[in-house]
Amino acid sequence: MNTDFLKACQGEKTSRTPIWIMRQAGRYLPDYHKVRSKMTFLELCKTPEKAAEVTLQPVDILGVDAAILFSDILVVLEAMGMKLEFQEKKGPVLPEPITCRADVDRLQVPDAEDELGYVMATIRILRQELADKVPLIGFCGAPFTLATYMIEGGSSKAFFNTKKMMYSAPELYKAMMDKVTDFTINYLKAQAAAGAQALQIFDSWAGALAPIDFGEFALPYVKRIIAALKDSTVPLIYFANNGATLLEQSRTSGADVLGMDWRISLADAARIVGPDISLQGNLDPCALLLPEDKLEKRVAAILAEGKEARGHIFNLGHGILPETPPEKAKFVVECVHRLSS
Ligand code: CP3
């Protein structure tokens, strides 16, 4: 098996810099559309054979050093009893958002194997099919990022209702976060038991928070998740999108790896996080639209900066955009391998 990704997570030497791409299984790939055209997104998530098939597509097409489970951070909310829809042009919609104590009380904290058994079934299929290839990454949403969907009822720009609950009903907010955190711990343990070899916590909207609020309303729950999984030997990656200003705090999360968006140089990030944490990132997803010569220079610069960190896993600074030509993603993978070996 190609273990470069797992080694880089732990800060061990690798023959070349490993790379995977956030949202690597998805809409920029014609092969994904072929499978997806026959069912809805949620049906695809809940059909283990098909979810496994699209997970493997970027491994075969791009040659990345890790696979990431095909699923979504929001299936957790459905498992906790919330209604969840993915609307064709709108994205995720939760038609009954959390507004009061009764809503929080109604949230369930079930056993993940019972409610999300289809995820663990997908992981088991993937470990069989990946056996001699690359490691499998499992994932979840960070509690704060999940909270934004629970309270706003879908995607948001200003997160007004979320902050309103944080500031005007902190006990309610914290009771909700405790339930989400407890279930997430159970869920990640189940993913690791089923065969996930690394786990990434996606905090997509952490960058919307002032440092003081991040420290009170977001990071403590991430720390609790990571502490609960420390015995599992599975490396943990924490990705706080738009989180450069939160790095002094994120470095205390307990994660083995911190994911970086493109708004900070990896050299600066390495100086802040110190010698005990690996870094992942951080090419601007839009840079994949550059002509190849310019793109290669950007890749080389990030590889050079990544040397400052304990370990470096190349990635984009956020998810790959649906508009990206797959050949460009393949070119980046080839560049990273060629320039780093
Ligand atoms: O990375 C991978 O290849 C694995 C699959 C994966 C998906 N979602 C599939 C998906 C992962 C890791 C996610 C995580 C996720 N989901 C996040 C965190 C990462 C990030 O981008 O910040 C968030 C915020 C979500 C919530 C979500 N799911 C949104 C906002 C949307 C709609 C907009 C969008 O980006 O597509 C989704 C839908 C979704 N999740 C799709 C896919 C492939 C598109 C569904 C389709 O086929 O129509």
Side-chain angles (χ1 to χ4, degrees), residues 31-309:
D31 310 69
Y32 171 76
H33 284 286
K34 224 181 260 172
V35 178
R36 170 73 170 78
S37 65
K38 301 196 179 76
M39 58 189 92
T40 68
F41 173 64
L42 268 180
E43 281 166 356
L44 178 50
C45 290
K46 292 175 185 179
T47 311
E49 295 73 27
K50 290 291 164 192
E53 180 183 334
V54 294
T55 301
L56 295 172
Q57 285 174 352
V59 177
D60 298 331
I61 296 168
L62 305 181
V64 286
D65 298 290
I68 180 160
L69 166 74
F70 187 83
S71 181
D72 198 86
I73 62 167
L74 302 178
V75 296
V76 158
L77 304 182
E78 194 182 52
M80 294 182 78
M82 294 189 77
K83 287 207 177 83
L84 171 67
E85 298 159 14
F86 284 88
Q87 294 178 3
E88 234 20 85
K89 293 237 151 60
K90 244 181 120 188
V93 174
L94 294 106
E96 293 169 9
I98 305 287
T99 60
C100 62
R101 171 60 66 172
D103 293 340
V104 173
D105 288 345
R106 257 196 305 276
L107 284 174
Q108 289 148 32
V109 184
D111 187 56
E113 275 286 356
D114 293 340
E115 288 301 320
L116 295 171
Y118 59 86
V119 174
M120 272 50 85
T122 305
I123 292 174
R124 289 188 196 98
I125 294 173
L126 280 166
R127 278 305 303 277
Q128 293 227 309
E129 300 199 350
L130 281 167
D132 56 343
K133 283 188 185 162
V134 295
L136 176 64
I137 304 169
F139 69 89
C140 68
F144 169 72
T145 286
L146 292 176
T148 66
Y149 289 96
M150 298 170 86
I151 300 168
E152 308 291 339
S155 299
S156 172
K157 286 218 167 76
F159 307 101
F160 176 76
N161 292 309
T162 309
K163 291 184 182 182
K164 186 175 161 197
M165 188 189 288
M166 275 166 31
Y167 297 147
S168 64
E171 265 85 62
L172 185 62
Y173 175 86
K174 286 175 184 176
M176 185 187 84
M177 291 291 273
D178 280 335
K179 281 190 158 181
V180 173
T181 303
D182 288 344
F183 183 52
T184 298
I185 289 169
N186 178 281
Y187 180 44
L188 289 186
K189 282 185 173 171
Q191 288 191 35
Q197 290 152 293
L199 295 166
Q200 173 153 324
I201 302 170
F202 283 92
D203 216 344
S204 306
W205 313 126
L209 291 172
I212 191 170
D213 290 325
F214 179 69
E216 178 170 357
F217 295 106
L219 185 62
Y221 305 94
V222 172
K223 281 186 175 173
R224 230 172 82 203
I225 294 168
I226 293 173
L229 278 130
K230 266 295 166 192
D231 293 340
S232 72
T233 73
V234 172
L236 286 147
I237 307 168
Y238 176 51
F239 172 62
N241 181 36
N242 211 343
T245 49
L246 307 169
L247 210 43
E248 285 286 357
Q249 295 187 72
S250 296
R251 68 189 282 268
T252 70
S253 67
D256 304 282
V257 184
L258 290 176
M260 292 295 126
D261 65 78
W262 63 91
R263 298 166 187 90
I264 183 171
S265 86
L266 287 186
D268 286 344
R271 264 193 295 282
I272 298 171
V273 305
D276 300 324
I277 296 173
S278 300
L279 293 180
Q280 175 174 281
N282 67 342
L283 183 68
D284 183 339
C286 289
L288 268 68
L289 304 173
L290 284 167
E292 288 192 354
D293 55 334
K294 293 209 165 93
L295 180 52
E296 178 159 340
K297 286 204 178 94
R298 296 259 183 142
V299 170
I302 289 172
L303 286 170
E305 289 175 354
K307 289 209 177 80
E308 306 290 320

